[in-house]
Amino acid sequence: MAEKTDIRALSKEALRDFFVAHNMKAFRGNQVYEWLWNKGAHNFESMTNISKDTRNFLTEHFVINHIEVDDMQQSTDGTIKNAIRLHDGLVVESVFIPTPTRTTACVSSQVGCSLNCTFCATARLKKMRNLNPDEIYDQVVAIDRQSRLYKGHKLNNIVFMGMGEPLLNYKNVLKSIEMITSEEGLGMSPRRITLSTVGLHKMIKKLADDEVKFNLAVSLHSAIDEVRSQMMPINDKSNLEDLLDSLQYWYAKTKRVITFEYVVWKGINDKKKDIDALVAYCKKVPSKVNLIEYNAIEEDGFVQADPAAITYYQRELERNNITVNIRHSRGKDIDAACGQLANKTAV
Ligand code: SAH
């Protein structure tokens, strides 16, 4: 028998059409849609306002794929790393990051990654597949539950900074955000969502054209092409000039400031010329800089720069009126910090 369709791959309109095509009322489609997204039903049985016959009929045609939180590891700082098992057995990771005032979900967009950034553990896993919209959405639902359970309030922020490159899974990521922000889903504000990318210039322009309402972060790490290309091979295809052009386009359309993520490594980008290049780059487009602590991954040869270099970066950026934040790692003891997601515990 042919494999049944995952019902959550259907839009609301498609679901309404399905009911009409089978001589039932279109509004049944709305009801089922609400069960699937807003109420998070994992089986047709639980859809109590749908008749038994209709539920059986749906079971004959569809499945409801859903994720399982396979393993939870809690850091001494309260961060929780979730190993998420997908319906086909593959595993991704997502992270719950609490602070005293708010909670953040860091979610994955692909199983593995194809971009080969030399300093990132996820790059060691080859890309296996894109996540479906419901698989991204369900990670957020799982972390929202953790937020309510451990902190007594709903999830505040979402960052697409887990495994994978969100802009290489464009359609599904945008669909998941549509559901996260829609009243039929989680009803969260898009302003509380940040998508992080290696900086694929064509896709950044597409985001601007599509008038998305969420925030954009770019993993920059160097404003000098030769240095950046060494660490991020994608820079050979989407270089700093193209990137800047797309970011200026983004800002012109959205009026939203871009966040640059930036790690300072000893002997790689810790010199005056590196800082000057970053300052000059930031001046060309409204932006702020997050200096991220380096999380060592095995045998990669990278070493976090001396504190003096970080202070120098901070001082020079501030002197040039560029907002800079120093981001200390969360969840390092359980390999949950930036660039450490690599399914180490996956069974
Ligand atoms: N592919 C997207 C989404 C992943 S976000 C992107 O690159 O933006 C993960 C963030 O962690 C990126 O900013 C990445 O550059 C950073 N990162 C990767 N490995 C790291 C490491 N070992 N230490 C600190 N940050 C790292």
Side-chain angles (χ1 to χ4, degrees):
M1 200 182 117
E3 227 179 89
K4 294 182 198 171
T5 313
D6 177 12
I7 191 167
R8 284 195 297 172
L10 270 60
S11 65
K12 188 160 79 179
E13 288 62 43
L15 208 49
R16 286 168 58 91
D17 291 347
F18 173 84
F19 278 95
V20 173
H22 292 88
N23 301 320
M24 287 181 270
K25 295 265 190 323
F27 82 90
R28 293 279 173 224
N30 299 26
Q31 288 177 316
V32 170
Y33 199 74
E34 196 186 344
W35 276 108
L36 293 173
W37 293 99
N38 188 286
K39 296 183 186 153
H42 282 177
N43 56 62
F44 295 109
E45 277 314 292
S46 56
M47 301 183 179
T48 45
N49 57 354
I50 308 289
S51 77
K52 183 138 186 54
D53 283 352
T54 308
R55 287 182 332 222
N56 289 340
F57 184 70
L58 289 171
T59 311
E60 280 165 26
H61 283 81
F62 299 109
V63 285
I64 308 177
N65 286 340
H66 59 89
I67 63 166
E68 300 283 351
V69 179
D70 233 24
D71 185 44
M72 279 169 56
Q73 280 178 279
Q74 186 150 20
S75 159
T76 47
D77 68 18
T79 301
I80 296 175
K81 182 168 78 172
N82 297 293
I84 305 285
R85 187 167 294 273
L86 309 170
H87 70 94
D88 57 2
L90 292 174
V91 176
V92 290
E93 291 174 337
S94 51
V95 188
F96 166 67
I97 310 161
T99 70
T101 51
R102 63 206 164 102
T103 56
T104 300
C106 174
V107 297
S108 294
S109 55
Q110 297 182 311
V111 188
C113 189
S114 57
L115 290 173
N116 292 320
C117 299
T118 49
F119 49 82
C120 180
T122 307
R124 311 279 154 101
L125 307 167
K126 67 177 193 324
K127 189 203 129 189
M128 287 177 252
R129 72 169 170 86
N130 284 333
L131 293 187
N132 294 325
D134 50 279
E135 292 170 329
I136 300 169
Y137 178 87
D138 284 358
Q139 293 175 60
V140 177
V141 171
I143 294 180
D144 182 45
R145 287 203 188 115
Q146 291 173 340
S147 180
R148 289 169 200 268
L149 183 66
Y150 296 112
K151 302 300 283 185
H153 61 82
K154 65 180 178 25
L155 180 66
N156 302 104
N157 298 313
I158 302 172
V159 293
F160 280 77
M161 296 187 186
M163 292 174 166
E165 167 52 44
L167 295 188
L168 290 180
N169 186 15
Y170 191 91
K171 207 166 97 282
N172 291 352
V173 165
L174 258 64
K175 172 72 187 162
S176 75
I177 294 177
E178 187 190 316
M179 292 315 302
I180 292 164
T181 53
S182 107
E183 284 309 321
E184 280 160 331
L186 297 176
M188 284 182 72
S189 163
R191 309 276 168 195
R192 302 206 157 263
I193 301 175
T194 301
L195 182 151
S196 175
T197 172
V198 289
L200 305 170
H201 65 282
K202 288 188 190 138
M203 303 312 283
I204 291 173
K205 284 192 170 170
K206 183 161 166 53
L207 281 178
D209 286 337
D210 286 343
E211 298 180 2
V212 299
K213 299 283 181 279
F214 49 80
N215 303 302
L216 182 65
V218 174
S219 301
L220 194 65
H221 304 312
S222 175
I224 301 174
D225 272 317
E226 302 80 73
V227 179
R228 192 168 192 258
S229 289
Q230 264 176 37
M231 298 177 287
M232 305 177 71
I234 191 68
N235 193 65
D236 290 334
K237 285 195 198 133
S238 189
N239 67 18
L240 288 163
E241 195 185 332
D242 291 337
L243 176 60
L244 182 63
D245 175 56
S246 70
L247 295 176
Q248 287 168 338
Y249 187 84
W250 159 275
Y251 186 77
K253 286 229 164 182
T254 67
K255 293 285 172 290
R256 282 202 300 288
V257 171
I258 295 125
T259 302
F260 289 129
E261 292 152 275
Y262 201 103
V263 177
V264 189
W265 287 283
K266 207 184 184 100
I268 293 184
N269 58 354
D270 59 350
K271 301 285 179 311
K272 183 172 182 311
K273 69 169 182 10
D274 301 294
I275 302 174
D276 291 346
L278 177 62
V279 168
Y281 202 75
C282 288
K283 280 188 171 169
K284 291 184 186 143
V285 65
S287 52
K288 59 179 185 179
V289 176
N290 280 349
L291 293 176
I292 318 175
E293 190 180 325
Y294 174 56
N295 303 303
I297 55 171
E298 290 153 27
E299 304 147 18
D300 69 352
F302 286 96
V303 181
Q304 162 95 12
D306 293 334
I310 317 264
T311 310
Y312 191 19
Y313 260 98
Q314 186 178 18
R315 208 180 53 216
E316 284 303 298
L317 288 163
E318 281 173 352
R319 207 166 62 77
N320 285 280
N321 298 320
I322 299 157
T323 304
V324 50
N325 294 301
I326 302 208
R327 291 265 185 256
H328 295 290
S329 290
R330 302 290 308 269
K332 232 174 162 172
D333 54 336
I334 52 165
D335 286 333
C338 293
Q340 291 188 313
L341 301 184
N343 286 350
K344 255 199 211 168
T345 50
V347 278

